[in-house]
Amino acid sequence: MSDKEEVNKPRKLQTPLGVFDILPDDQLYYTHIKKVVRHRCRQSGFRRITTPIFEFTDVFQRSIGDGTDIVQKEMYTFLDRNERSLTLKPEGTAGVVRAYLEHGMKELPQPVELYYIEPHFRYDRPQKGRYRQFWQFGYEIIGESDPALDAQIVHLSCKILDDLGITALFKLQVNSIGCQICREKFLVELQNYYIGKERSMCSNCLERLHKNPLRILDCKEEDCQILAKFAPKLKMYLCEECKEYHQKFLEYLTEVGLKYTENEQLVRGLDYYTKTVFEFWDHQQGAQNSIGGGGRYDGLVELMGGQPTPAVGVAFGIERIIQNMKREKIKIPSKDNLHIFVAQLGDEAKKKCLNLIWELRERGVRTVGALGKASMKAQLKLADRFNVPYTLILGITEVREGTIIIRDMARGQQRIVPFETIIDEVIRLIGEKNLDLYSPAEILYE
Ligand code: HAM
């Protein structure tokens, strides 16, 4: 093909790198995870919040921190038609805190407990478990400081992972990165330690040395990890209050039966944390595959223009959770399985089927009908592909005689029943097979 032809050929349309469609089979996982999160959060008194997909860039820049990888390299930032800088949200906490301030939630009984389940966007290097659009669920407790709340956030996370059948895969890593005061002293010592060792540091860490020295500690490069092992330990610089706070946090974790690993190199990739930080690491794959992380962020509300207000929270990556559920072959309860296929032939039969299909659906029977012009043979083939337990067949003869045929697809047997009894008969048969009916109340009020 000549170059000219190549240029004129329409480009194949596909998703950009790092983003993906969520196809019906995967929707089952997303729906199940959302239900589990919603149930556990509601049970603990959290209420749902949805913040916009994009915010003024300042919301993220100020909170996540200018020196972080997210702000430096990963934000989707653009100017709108009025030349205002906007950014697709790379994480959830900043928007929630902005909403807390904007809507005067300080006046509500404190602490305010909020959860979210939403897509986020980071210009990350796409690879397994790392995408440019990904879903997170997270929850935040804003307005109170107590190590028991930090432990409660971790405990709630474990309950959710438990419900999803994957707790055993993860090890809880915990650390304290202190408050502003003790951390400042530590950072001076840390920078002093690295001065003179620049030749052994990766280019990222050289940059971090001045912009964000704490992040050097969790660099994944081998040489940097060796240096980090011998670097000053933050623990030695914690003030009495931070030490006591951390000790209490660990006691509360033990009290509720949670195992943890103290990890002095755990620092998190966002600047807003104070005191408690934690992550859930994959046993087999290390930090690279942390499925969730969070911590306390007592300075953030003030940084964003509010009164000093303590807070703590966590977020999990839904795609990483799904990856693990698939690896563990966790079965998802599905309500997508169909019960009945309705096949019809002739105009009179089609008219009767239009009502029959909806009456079945209203009674909770998941029903599909072939309302096109396909032959009976083609319709029955389709019923097979839908994998339904029963097919109803209405032809010209059945319409004339006031009957309908019901076919047991697995046994290949069929019988004729009076048309007016068919709905009760279908419901009886579904009950016999222990299949759940889909109750309309369940959809509206669950
Ligand atoms: P984070 O550690 O940046 O924390 O993200 C939380 C989780 O989101 C990660 O553990 C990971 O599972 C998932 N995640 C992050 N980036 C990607 C990506 N590119 N592709 C797929 N999954 C990803 C936060 O976002 C904080 N806002 C958590 C928090 C809430 N702290 C306090 N409250």
Side-chain angles (χ1 to χ4, degrees):
M1 193 190 283
S2 72
D3 283 354
K4 207 169 169 195
E5 278 172 314
E6 186 73 63
V7 169
N8 289 337
K9 206 176 131 198
R11 198 157 50 92
K12 195 171 143 204
L13 293 180
Q14 56 187 37
T15 55
L17 203 64
V19 305
F20 51 87
D21 299 308
I22 305 176
L23 298 176
D25 282 349
D26 273 345
Q27 293 288 355
L28 295 182
Y29 288 90
Y30 283 85
T31 307
H32 180 62
I33 293 168
K34 281 180 204 172
K35 281 188 173 179
V36 166
V37 171
R38 194 176 58 170
H39 161 67
R40 285 297 184 184
C41 285
R42 276 173 165 179
Q43 189 189 42
S44 316
F46 286 75
R47 299 187 70 204
R48 186 162 176 180
I49 183 166
T50 301
T51 60
I53 293 288
F54 58 83
E55 302 249 7
F56 288 122
T57 301
D58 201 29
V59 169
F60 304 114
Q61 214 160 8
R62 249 204 265 179
S63 56
I64 299 169
D66 258 338
T68 59
D69 284 355
I70 297 183
V71 170
Q72 291 274 313
K73 304 177 193 159
E74 296 172 3
M75 294 206 307
Y76 279 92
T77 297
F78 56 97
L79 293 180
D80 72 3
R81 285 169 193 269
N82 261 325
E83 306 278 305
R84 279 175 298 226
S85 181
L86 300 172
T87 294
L88 299 186
K89 62 175 159 189
E91 62 100 47
T93 313
V96 171
V97 170
R98 195 260 317 128
Y100 175 90
L101 290 169
E102 186 171 338
H103 302 288
M105 291 191 217
K106 196 168 102 2
E107 303 310 321
L108 299 175
Q110 305 290 301
V112 172
E113 302 189 328
L114 299 166
Y115 76 98
Y116 47 89
I117 310 169
E118 280 161 50
H120 294 83
F121 306 85
R122 292 185 195 173
Y123 193 78
D124 235 327
R125 199 148 42 93
Q127 51 189 287
K128 200 169 176 209
R130 201 174 279 283
Y131 307 101
R132 291 185 171 166
Q133 176 178 344
F134 57 96
W135 283 72
Q136 277 187 347
F137 65 79
Y139 22 93
E140 318 284 348
I141 303 181
I142 307 177
E144 204 168 333
S145 170
D146 195 293
L149 295 176
D150 306 24
Q152 200 194 29
I153 286 275
V154 174
H155 199 188
L156 172 59
S157 306
C158 291
K159 288 275 177 212
I160 290 172
L161 296 181
D162 227 2
D163 290 345
L164 296 174
I166 54 171
T167 343
L169 302 180
F170 298 98
K171 276 207 165 121
L172 171 63
Q173 311 281 312
V174 300
N175 192 20
S176 170
I177 57 166
C179 60
Q180 294 290 3
I181 302 162
C182 43
R183 199 162 36 188
E184 230 159 74
K185 273 194 263 165
F186 170 71
L187 291 181
V188 172
E189 285 306 310
L190 194 66
Q191 279 171 318
N192 286 341
Y193 166 79
Y194 279 100
I195 288 169
K197 299 185 177 62
E198 288 88 346
R199 268 190 301 162
S200 312
M201 295 165 73
C202 73
S203 55
N204 275 341
C205 283
L206 280 177
E207 233 179 88
R208 287 170 182 151
L209 186 56
H210 302 288
K211 284 190 181 150
N212 198 358
L214 206 57
R215 280 295 279 174
I216 296 178
L217 292 179
D218 81 343
C219 178
K220 307 296 173 296
E221 295 292 332
E222 203 179 335
D223 284 351
C224 299
Q225 286 198 349
I226 294 169
L227 282 180
K229 246 189 194 152
F230 299 101
K233 301 287 178 249
L234 214 162
K235 210 174 179 176
M236 313 300 290
Y237 294 81
L238 291 184
C239 62
E240 278 313 307
E241 195 210 317
C242 286
K243 256 190 225 164
E244 206 179 300
Y245 192 96
H246 191 56
Q247 194 48 42
K248 277 272 165 228
F249 168 60
L250 299 182
E251 277 173 32
Y252 293 140
L253 290 182
T254 307
E255 185 59 33
V256 293
L258 298 179
K259 292 207 171 66
Y260 55 82
T261 304
E262 281 203 77
N263 181 341
E264 287 182 63
Q265 273 158 250
L266 185 73
V267 294
R268 307 275 301 131
L270 307 100
D271 274 0
Y272 49 61
Y273 292 109
T274 49
K275 295 182 179 160
T276 310
V277 289
F278 59 88
E279 279 182 8
F280 289 85
W281 283 10
D282 190 319
H283 276 208
Q284 292 155 31
Q285 299 178 50
Q288 192 59 7
N289 255 348
S290 143
I291 51 156
R296 178 153 285 284
Y297 50 95
D298 289 345
L300 185 56
V301 177
E302 193 180 0
L303 190 71
M304 292 183 78
Q307 300 291 324
T309 308
V312 62
V314 65
F316 284 82
I318 295 186
E319 287 73 20
R320 293 190 192 175
I321 287 186
I322 293 175
Q323 216 176 297
N324 281 284
M325 291 175 76
K326 286 184 176 170
R327 203 174 72 197
E328 287 302 291
K329 301 195 168 43
I330 305 279
K331 277 221 154 45
I332 307 293
S334 165
K335 296 212 163 151
D336 285 354
N337 298 339
L338 293 166
H339 296 133
I340 291 288
F341 185 91
V342 180
Q344 47 74 36
L345 213 56
D347 198 42
E348 283 309 305
K350 188 182 282 190
K351 279 184 192 159
K352 284 188 96 168
C353 283
L354 285 176
N355 280 322
L356 175 64
I357 287 169
W358 273 104
E359 280 167 30
L360 283 164
R361 289 175 181 165
E362 292 295 338
R363 296 280 297 273
V365 181
R366 283 192 290 273
T367 311
V368 278
L371 294 173
K373 294 188 185 69
S375 68
M376 187 53 76
K377 193 171 159 205
Q379 291 183 53
L380 292 179
K381 239 188 188 166
L382 196 58
D384 252 344
R385 290 192 61 191
F386 277 122
N387 206 16
V388 284
Y390 296 103
T391 295
L392 303 183
I393 303 166
L394 195 67
I396 299 161
T397 319
E398 288 76 31
V399 172
R400 200 174 49 232
E401 293 174 356
T403 58
I404 188 165
I405 296 170
I406 184 159
R407 183 178 174 85
D408 184 323
M409 300 299 281
R411 293 198 181 125
Q413 292 167 350
Q414 57 188 48
R415 65 202 162 82
I416 300 171
V417 294
F419 186 83
E420 67 273 10
T421 63
I422 189 61
I423 294 179
D424 289 336
E425 180 61 6
V426 164
I427 288 170
R428 189 184 67 75
L429 289 171
I430 289 173
E432 258 180 22
K433 283 207 190 281
N434 281 330
L435 299 171
D436 281 337
L437 286 173
Y438 200 47
S439 125
E442 197 181 323
I443 318 163
L444 295 175
Y445 305 114
E446 70 184 326

